[in-house]
Amino acid sequence: MNEAVLHEAERIAEALVFASAEPVTESFLADRLPKGVDVRTVMAGLKARYATRGVNLVQVADCWAFRTAADLTFQLRRDESEVRKLSRAALEVLAIIAYHQPVTRAEIEDIRGVQTSKGTLDVLLESGWVRFRGRRRTPGRPVTFGTTRDFLDHFGLEEIRDLPGLEELKGAGLLSGRIPPSLSIPAPRDDDLTEDEDPITQLDLEELGLLTPGGEEAEEHT
């Protein structure tokens, strides 16, 4: 690739990501970069350039965004507005969804050993960290839950496979030394629908109260 073309492509990509309030998709970048330029090559070059700066270029799923360098975030926390803390139940449900997705409400309750209130799931859905993935191909066609791109972005993950494993959680002090020896943490799955899932349709969204019969988003979820 011509060096001048690559340099210009990096400048364009840098400007597009910098100007966006949300992570920018690779398809969006590809439509705006010079023809024939490889987006991954351009973004890898930019990522390396920003690796030692106060802001880093990070990948979030198939998107890119600028984020404060991890070793400097403590400098900004004092000025951030406090985010509403999740309850213990919500944190447990979020962790189960992250590690076990796709997972239904009944499966969440089976793992936790207690009933999960609709309010807990509503809080996670409203936070933008959890979404409806699909419908399980079993009697009753229960809804499956999964995490979102915002979840990855908030926790600094490029993809769901970057979630810490059992040993990492122990090392960080997030799991007690008295945990049952039978406890296992499954390898996080990718975002594709599984063989026993059907995609969410407009009819499903209407049934779940997320769309009115006319097809518009329900007011309480806008």
Side-chain angles (χ1 to χ4, degrees):
M1 186 185 302
N2 182 284
E3 187 174 341
V5 173
L6 179 60
H7 177 68
E8 183 64 14
E10 287 186 353
R11 292 182 67 241
I12 295 171
E14 181 181 32
L16 290 170
V17 176
F18 180 80
S20 176
E22 300 292 335
V24 178
T25 65
E26 291 183 351
S27 60
F28 178 88
L29 293 169
D31 288 341
R32 288 156 179 79
L33 296 183
K35 187 176 181 180
V37 170
D38 182 68
V39 175
R40 291 292 178 91
T41 300
V42 171
M43 301 314 289
L46 273 179
K47 183 178 181 178
R49 290 176 187 272
Y50 278 91
T52 59
R53 298 186 183 180
V55 292
N56 298 151
L57 182 65
V58 300
Q59 187 173 4
V60 183
D62 65 340
C63 303
W64 293 86
F66 282 114
R67 294 290 180 262
T68 303
D71 62 330
L72 298 178
T73 53
F74 74 96
Q75 297 280 7
L76 307 180
R77 284 176 184 163
R78 68 193 69 175
D79 299 322
E80 290 179 348
S81 56
E82 184 175 356
V83 178
R84 182 176 61 174
K85 293 182 179 179
L86 295 177
S87 66
R88 179 176 177 179
L91 286 172
E92 288 179 357
V93 172
L94 178 61
I96 289 170
I97 292 173
Y99 281 96
H100 292 264
Q101 59 187 308
V103 61
T104 65
R105 179 174 174 177
E107 291 165 344
I108 293 171
E109 293 176 345
D110 185 56
I111 294 169
R112 292 185 68 214
V114 296
Q115 186 174 6
T116 299
S117 72
K118 182 178 181 297
T120 297
L121 287 169
D122 284 344
V123 166
L124 294 175
L125 290 165
E126 289 168 5
S127 73
W129 292 350
V130 167
R131 65 183 178 89
F132 294 116
R133 277 180 54 108
R135 303 297 289 261
R136 186 66 54 78
R137 294 176 183 172
T138 56
R141 300 186 69 246
V143 174
T144 56
F145 296 93
T147 52
T148 65
R149 190 181 70 193
D150 287 345
F151 170 85
L152 297 177
D153 192 15
H154 181 84
F155 290 98
L157 305 171
E158 286 190 13
E159 56 183 359
I160 202 65
R161 293 188 183 89
D162 293 331
L163 282 169
L166 182 59
E167 293 305 316
E168 292 174 284
L169 293 174
K170 286 180 182 177
L174 298 177
L175 288 178
S176 161
R178 296 176 295 175
I179 59 174
S182 60
L183 177 68
S184 64
I185 293 179
R189 302 177 183 177
D190 58 30
D191 200 40
D192 295 331
L193 291 172
T194 58
E195 292 183 358
D196 65 345
E197 277 184 294
D198 287 321
I200 291 284
T201 65
Q202 179 171 318
L203 186 61
D204 292 323
L205 293 176
E206 292 174 5
E207 180 183 327
L208 294 167
L210 300 183
L211 286 180
T212 63
E216 297 180 355
E217 291 189 26
E219 184 174 349
E220 62 268 23
H221 290 274
T222 59

